[in-house]
Amino acid sequence: MNYRSDIRNIVIIAHVDHGKTTLVDAMLKQSKVFRDNQVVGELIMDQNALEREKGITIMAKNTAVVYRAVKINIIDTPGHADFSGEVERVLSMADGCLLLVDSVEGPMPQTKFVLRLAMKMGLKPIVVINKIDRRNSRIAEVLKLTEDLFLELAISADQLDFPVLYASAREGTVVTELDMKGQDVTPLLECILGKVPPPKIESGSFQMLVSNLAYDSHKGKIAIGRIWRGKVAPHQLVVSVGADGSVTHYEISEVFTYLGLKHLKVEEAEAGDIVAVTGLDKVNIGDTIASLEQTEALPRIEIGEPTVEMTFGVNTSPVAGREGHFCTTRQLRARLNRELETNLSLRVQGTDGRDTFLVKGRGELHLAILIETMRRESYEFEVSKPKAITKIVDGNLVEPVEVLTIDTQEEYLGVLTEMLSKRQAQLADMRNDGHDDVRLVFHVPTKGLIGFRTVFSTATHGESIMNTTFLGYEPYYGDIISTRNGALVASEQGIAVTYGLNNAQGRGCTFIEAGTPVYEGMIIGLNSQPKDIAINVCKEKKKTNIRSSTSDIAIKLAPPVQLSLEQAMDFINDDELVEVTPGNIRLRKKLLTQAQRAKDRASSRRSMK
Ligand SMILES: Nc1nc2c(ncn2[C@@H]2O[C@H](COP(=O)(O)OP(=O)(O)OP(=O)(O)O)[C@@H](O)[C@H]2O)c(=O)[nH]1
Ligand SMILES: [Mg+2]
C-alpha cells in the first residue's frame, strides 16, 4: 500500500455556529490564497445567498490550502441538524476530521451526531476547542465533556488518542497549550500534517466515488469526489456505475483540483486527491467513476432517512401565475427532480392529486430552505403543513423522536415546561449552572417540534437557544391536538381597506396591510376564538350625508403581524396551505369558498357519526 505524502484530506465537523466556516476563513487567509488588496470579508465559503442571509452553512463545500508543500483539502460542513445529509455525504472523502467545540456551549447534540458518524468512518480526529476568547469560556470543563463523548463513541482505542488544540477562529489564532499566546493558525496546520494520515493509494486503475455535484452553464454537470485508485486526465474514457449497477460510458472533458476558492484546471490528477471532473452528464452522487478495465463500484453513500414531509403543489389560488415564471406541474416536477440530484436526504413522491408532490426532508428548515430557494428562482407553488413521517415497523406504528436541547434562564422554566408537555416532550436532563442559566434536554416526537421554534422564541423573548437532533423512531406517542385559534378568512375578492381591516382587528390580529389584494378563502389574520370566521376586509364605510365630528378621524390600524415563510408553514392547519410566489407569502384555506368549507364540515361530521 502506498501513501500520498503531499496531500491531507480533512473534514470540519461541529454543532451549528461553533465556528467551522470561520476557521476555514482563518486557514484561507493565512495561506495567502487571496491577492494582498482583495477584500474577502467573513464566512468566505458561505457563498450561497441564503447562507449569507441566515449566517449558516447549508451545503458542504470543498477548498484547499497548501502548507509546507502539502496540499490540505478541506471540506466545510453545515452544523445544523436539518442538513446532516450533507455531512454524511462528504465524510468518505476525508481521512481526518477537525471536531470543533465551542468553549462556552461545550459538546451539543449535533457534536455527538457528527462525531459518531466520523468515528464510524474511522476518521482520525483532532479536537479544536474554539472561541477561547469568549469571556465566559469554561475550557477545562468543555474538554472533559468532549473526552467523555469520545469514550462513548470511539470504535477503536486509537481514536481516543486525539490531539487537542485551542482556537479563536475569529482572531485567526490556534495554540497547543492554553498559556501560549496565539499568533496564527500554524499549530493547526502542523497538527494536520503530523496527525492526519496521508491518503492511502490502492494499486489499480482509475476509480473515484462521486460525493457531490455542481453545475456550470458552459461545462454542464461537474462531479466532485475523491480518487481512490489510479489517475484521471482530460479525454480519458471511463464508465460510471449507477445505483442499480448499470454502466454508462463517458469521455472525461476536464479535470480540476481545488486551491483556495479556485478550481485549477489540471492535466492529470492522482489517487488520494479530491477532484472535480466534467463530461459526465448523467452521473449521480454515490456513483463510481472508473476506468474501462476495472469497473467495480465503491460502496454507496448512506444517508439517514427524512423525518418531515409536506406537499408541494401547483398554485391554484385565484391570483396564480401573476408573479412567477415557472408555475406549471411540469416545471415544478422538473425542478424537484433536479434538486434530488444534489440534495441527498430529500425524497419526492407523486400523490393522488396530479398537480401535487409529496416532498420529504430532514426537518422543517431543510424544506423551508428549498422553498425559499425555489421562490427566488421565480417558482410559484403552494405547500401544506409539514408533518412528521410515521411508519410501520413489525406491525407497530412508530414516529421520529428528537433530542431537544434548550439553553435558557430560570424564569422561563415554567412556561417552557408547560408548552413542551403539551407537545409530548419528556424531560431527559436538566442542568443548572448555579446562577441563572439552565440547560434542559427533552425527548420530543418530531411532530411536537413542528411550529415550536416560533413559539419558543416568542415565549423566551428571543433570549434562549434551542437545538434538535434526530434520536430515532419510537412507538407512536398519540395525537397532539392543535390549540391554534381560528383564522380570519377573507370572504370577497378585492383590495383590503382600512375600514374592513379595522373590523377584522376587532376579532383578532391581522396579517395584511390596507391596499393588499385579497381573494375569497385567503387567510388574513388570526381569530381570538377557536373557530374560523369569514370577514369582508374590502368593505368600505357606508357614505352618509351627516358629518359627525368623530367619524372623519382616520382609523388607526394596529400594524399587521408579518409572517416569515417558516412562521407561515408553522401557522397553517391541515385544511390550509401556504401560497409561495416570488413576491408574496399568502395563507389560504384549501377550500376557498364558504360554501365548499361548509359542505366539507357537514360531510366530515356525518362520517364521524
Ligand atoms: N468570539 C468568537 N466568535 C467566533 C469565533 N469563531 C467563530 N465565531 C463566531 O461564531 C459565529 C458562527 O461562526 P460560523 O463560522 O458561521 O460557524 P459554523 O460552525 O460554520 O456554523 P454553521 O456552518 O452554520 O454550522 C459567527 O458569528 C462567528 O463570527 C471565535 O473564535 N470567537
Ligand atoms: Mg459554517
Side-chain angles (χ1 to χ4, degrees):
M1 190 84 71
N2 282 324
Y3 291 90
R4 279 288 296 267
S5 56
D6 61 337
I7 291 183
R8 299 291 184 280
N9 295 322
I10 58 155
V11 59
I12 309 194
I13 52 175
H15 186 75
V16 66
D17 265 2
H18 282 197
K20 296 172 290 295
T21 309
T22 309
L23 190 66
V24 178
D25 281 357
M27 290 197 263
L28 288 171
K29 284 177 183 166
Q30 183 166 329
S31 311
K32 298 257 183 287
V33 292
F34 306 105
R35 292 187 313 274
D36 282 347
N37 60 354
Q38 195 172 350
V39 181
V40 284
E42 281 169 10
L43 303 178
I44 306 165
M45 296 287 285
D46 289 346
Q47 284 159 340
N48 166 292
L50 275 176
E51 290 184 326
R52 297 216 77 89
E53 268 168 45
K54 295 192 179 275
I56 54 169
T57 305
I58 296 172
M59 283 164 293
K61 288 178 226 71
N62 283 83
T63 183
V65 298
V66 175
Y67 176 69
R68 291 210 282 123
V70 176
K71 177 159 82 171
I72 305 173
N73 282 311
I74 304 166
I75 309 155
D76 183 27
T77 64
H80 201 290
D82 280 38
F83 310 119
S84 301
E86 290 289 303
V87 187
E88 293 167 6
R89 174 162 88 70
V90 296
L91 284 178
S92 68
M93 285 193 271
D95 300 295
C97 64
L98 302 186
L99 178 76
L100 260 65
V101 189
D102 184 305
S103 73
V104 177
E105 285 195 357
M108 293 292 286
Q110 192 67 4
T111 317
K112 184 170 173 180
F113 183 86
V114 289
L115 182 63
R116 177 181 287 131
L117 292 175
M119 297 285 96
K120 237 169 56 190
M121 299 288 299
L123 303 188
K124 173 76 194 173
I126 296 175
V127 168
V128 181
I129 309 281
N130 188 31
K131 308 199 188 182
I132 56 168
D133 58 289
R134 279 182 75 171
R135 200 172 34 83
N136 41 355
S137 67
R138 43 183 194 118
I139 300 169
E141 200 182 334
V142 164
L143 181 57
K144 170 80 180 56
L145 291 170
T146 311
E147 284 166 351
D148 291 350
L149 202 59
F150 273 87
L151 279 173
E152 188 184 335
L153 301 176
I155 286 169
S156 64
D158 64 322
Q159 287 178 328
L160 292 175
D161 173 30
F162 50 85
V164 179
L165 300 170
Y166 305 91
S168 170
R170 195 190 265 171
E171 288 164 10
T173 57
V174 178
V175 290
T176 51
E177 303 292 338
L178 270 176
D179 51 11
M180 284 162 61
K181 179 153 172 37
Q183 303 285 336
D184 53 22
V185 296
T186 305
L188 174 62
L189 299 171
E190 281 294 335
C191 185
I192 294 170
L193 258 51
K195 297 290 180 182
V196 175
K200 273 185 205 157
I201 317 271
E202 289 170 40
S203 57
S205 58
F206 177 60
Q207 185 188 42
M208 92 178 232
L209 181 68
V210 181
S211 298
N212 200 359
L213 289 179
Y215 293 90
D216 180 285
S217 45
H218 300 295
K219 300 187 173 77
K221 215 180 226 186
I222 306 173
I224 299 155
R226 171 169 170 173
I227 310 179
W228 286 95
R229 249 179 13 204
K231 296 177 183 177
V232 64
H235 310 300
Q236 188 169 327
L237 298 178
V238 294
V239 293
S240 78
V241 189
D244 56 356
S246 62
V247 168
T248 317
H249 286 253
Y250 290 107
E251 179 183 327
I252 300 266
S253 306
E254 291 176 311
V255 181
F256 299 88
T257 60
Y258 290 89
L259 186 66
L261 302 183
K262 286 200 280 280
H263 286 169
L264 293 184
K265 200 167 151 179
V266 292
E267 283 311 309
E268 189 176 80
E270 270 186 70
D273 209 349
I274 293 172
V275 293
V277 297
T278 61
L280 295 83
D281 58 352
K282 295 236 163 53
V283 76
N284 285 314
I285 296 178
D287 292 357
T288 297
I289 308 178
S291 67
L292 305 183
E293 305 91 67
Q294 278 180 291
T295 60
E296 77 277 10
L298 289 156
R300 290 188 82 84
I301 299 166
E302 278 178 43
I303 299 282
E305 289 171 55
T307 52
V308 175
E309 64 185 17
M310 61 200 291
T311 61
F312 281 44
V314 164
N315 189 2
T316 56
S317 96
V319 293
R322 298 202 184 156
E323 294 173 29
H325 282 110
F326 308 110
C327 309
T328 65
T329 314
R330 192 176 51 79
Q331 286 165 331
L332 194 60
R333 181 187 294 118
R335 177 63 184 85
L336 289 172
N337 283 340
R338 198 163 80 235
E339 187 68 23
L340 286 178
E341 292 196 342
T342 49
N343 203 335
L344 282 203
S345 37
L346 200 76
R347 304 276 182 281
V348 177
Q349 248 169 267
T351 64
D352 297 343
R354 266 191 311 132
D355 302 334
T356 311
F357 304 92
L358 189 62
V359 181
K360 304 181 181 189
R362 278 296 258 283
E364 261 184 289
L365 184 63
H366 185 205
L367 295 171
I369 293 282
L370 172 62
I371 296 170
E372 186 61 37
T373 308
M374 288 173 61
R375 170 167 121 89
R376 290 179 187 206
E377 291 169 359
S378 206
Y379 282 82
E380 219 180 81
F381 50 105
E382 57 195 26
V383 299
S384 69
K385 183 180 180 59
K387 272 194 187 150
I389 301 175
T390 53
K391 50 182 191 177
I392 306 282
V393 175
D394 301 332
N396 300 315
L397 183 65
V398 293
E399 66 175 327
V401 176
E402 296 180 44
V403 182
L404 166 71
T405 310
I406 295 179
D407 285 304
T408 186
Q409 283 86 47
E410 252 168 23
E411 59 184 298
Y412 299 124
L413 278 185
V415 57
L416 285 174
T417 321
E418 192 193 327
M419 269 165 36
L420 280 160
S421 70
K422 285 191 192 136
R423 292 168 174 265
Q424 303 179 335
Q426 286 164 359
L427 187 66
D429 192 17
M430 173 163 144
R431 267 179 222 177
N432 205 315
D433 72 346
H435 302 286
D436 201 18
D437 294 335
V438 191
R439 176 170 292 179
L440 301 164
V441 181
F442 291 91
H443 291 183
V444 204
T446 301
K447 66 170 186 276
L449 283 171
I450 289 171
F452 180 66
R453 200 174 284 274
T454 325
V455 288
F456 169 80
S457 147
T458 320
T460 62
H461 303 107
E463 286 173 7
S464 306
I465 301 172
M466 64 167 271
N467 282 291
T468 58
T469 18
F470 180 63
L471 179 67
Y473 276 85
E474 289 182 10
Y476 193 66
Y477 282 49
D479 292 342
I480 295 181
I481 295 136
S482 162
T483 51
R484 199 201 78 187
N485 276 337
L488 302 179
V489 186
S491 61
E492 320 270 325
Q493 177 133 1
I495 306 286
V497 295
T498 306
Y499 183 75
L501 284 172
N502 190 44
N503 281 341
Q505 289 195 341
R507 301 295 196 130
C509 68
T510 52
F511 300 156
I512 56 168
E513 285 171 340
T516 308
V518 298
Y519 52 81
E520 180 178 9
M522 179 167 149
I523 298 172
I524 56 92
L526 177 64
N527 193 1
S528 48
Q529 302 290 321
K531 279 200 175 148
D532 289 354
I533 42 171
I535 275 193
N536 182 2
V537 285
C538 310
K539 189 163 130 192
E540 300 274 5
K541 188 180 167 204
K542 276 220 184 70
K543 298 263 187 312
T544 64
N545 289 328
I546 307 156
R547 277 178 180 269
S548 85
S549 57
T550 52
S551 68
D552 289 344
I553 298 172
I555 301 169
K556 265 229 148 72
L557 283 181
V561 176
Q562 279 177 340
L563 299 185
S564 66
L565 171 63
E566 278 148 82
Q567 286 168 333
M569 283 162 54
D570 290 346
F571 177 87
I572 55 170
N573 277 333
D574 289 340
D575 62 340
E576 295 162 352
L577 295 168
V578 182
E579 179 190 348
V580 184
T581 70
N584 285 293
I585 290 168
R586 301 188 189 94
L587 308 178
R588 57 166 282 190
K589 300 304 286 184
K590 271 187 186 159
L591 301 172
L592 290 178
T593 67
Q594 288 185 64
Q596 284 171 326
R597 293 197 296 275
K599 203 169 140 199
D600 186 59
R601 272 197 302 275
S603 77
S604 61
R605 264 202 304 275
R606 266 200 305 282
S607 65
M608 274 166 67
K609 270 185 193 157

